[in-house]
Each structure stands twice: as structure tokens, then as C-alpha cells.
Amino acid sequence: MHAQHDRSRPATAPSEPILLHGDGRASLSGAELLDFPAEDRTVTVACASGARHTATWTGIPVFDLFADVGLDDETTHLVVESADGYRVCIDVYDALDAVLAYSRDGTPIGEEHGYETRFIAPDIDGSRTVKGVRAVEARALDPSTDPESLEDISKKP
């Protein structure tokens, strides 16, 4: 589900900047992130434990983040990394509906969890969502490159 967020409840700006790597590079502060138009995504997350949780996540469409740094037409994957080093490599088509969420069901994520942001999308398995996002990098992978070779999923998401 896509919906423009009405901002009826003010969002809390993430305290850590998000690093972006596309055609250029940028570091966006929490205040700058809140300047982007927000959208809602209702997503059911299937946890590794087997539990399923449906919530409405509010955040910035991931591809909107690249507006100022540029995104090469050859981009095939996004490498998304958390502050603790957890890193996944997501096919660009699976990331089309992704948001960098800062709110869950109308409450800032940081008020209920030990992290402030989450990379989440309807078509991405719960274990491949990233909590406490530090960086998003656009990559154009050669067909012979295994995307999992760019990952570090040894940390728990």
C-alpha cells in the first residue's frame, strides 16, 4: 500500500546521518531526511523465528534519496548497511517500493527500539530488512558477481 504521509504527527529526526553512494556521494542529516516527502508502506515482516508482524512504516522512498547524488541507469543492486555492520545486497527491482522508515504505526521507531531507521519493502524478506541504516550504496554488478559476496549477515538484523 502506498500513501503520502499526512505528517499529522511530527516525526523525530534520526540522530545519525545516512551516507549515500550513487553517481556522487552525500551524507544526509536527520533534519535533511525529514525534508523529503514521506510515504507509508504497509508491510508484513516475516521474522526468522516464524512470527509475522504487519505494520505501517512511514519514511522516504529509497530512490528519492538519490535525487541529488544521482543514480546510474546501470544500477542493478543496492547495498544497505547498518551501524553495526550488518549488510545486505538487494536487487534494484526488489527495492523499488522500499522506504527508509523512521516511524512504525505512527510512532518514531527510536521510541520503541534500539535503532531509529529501517530499510523495508513489501517484497523483501524480514531478515533482509536493515535496522539502524547507516549507508545505502548503488552498485552496477557484473552478471558473474554473486550479490551475496557483498553481504555481511553475520550480525542479527
Side-chain angles (χ1 to χ4, degrees):
M1 174 205 262
H2 293 80
Q4 287 287 345
H5 185 62
D6 66 7
R7 296 210 187 255
S8 58
R9 178 175 177 173
T12 301
S15 60
E16 296 296 321
I18 305 296
L19 306 173
L20 298 172
H21 304 276
D23 289 341
R25 295 177 184 251
S27 176
L28 298 176
S29 70
E32 290 171 316
L33 290 169
L34 292 182
D35 286 340
F36 284 86
E39 290 186 11
D40 293 336
R41 300 283 190 274
T42 299
V43 177
T44 299
V45 176
C47 298
S49 67
R52 298 174 69 81
H53 305 280
T54 300
T56 298
W57 302 85
T58 301
I60 305 151
V62 170
F63 289 102
D64 288 359
L65 293 170
F66 287 91
D68 290 335
V69 296
L71 193 62
D72 191 289
D73 289 341
E74 301 300 315
T75 298
T76 60
H77 291 78
L78 296 180
V79 177
V80 185
E81 185 172 345
S82 70
D84 68 0
Y86 184 83
R87 185 174 54 248
V88 297
C89 186
I90 304 292
D91 184 283
V92 72
Y93 293 107
D94 291 337
L96 289 175
D97 284 333
V99 293
L100 176 65
Y102 48 75
S103 177
R104 180 179 182 241
D105 291 332
T107 301
I109 295 171
E111 288 182 13
E112 296 181 349
H113 301 284
Y115 56 92
E116 298 174 310
T117 57
R118 189 166 185 174
F119 173 87
I120 194 159
D123 295 327
I124 297 175
D125 182 65
S127 65
R128 299 186 63 73
T129 66
V130 177
K131 299 173 182 176
V133 176
R134 174 180 65 177
V136 182
E137 179 182 0
R139 300 285 300 261
L141 299 185
D142 182 272
S144 65
T145 301
D146 179 5
E148 291 182 11
S149 69
L150 301 174
E151 297 184 344
D152 185 353
I153 57 173
S154 61
K155 315 257 188 310
K156 285 195 166 201

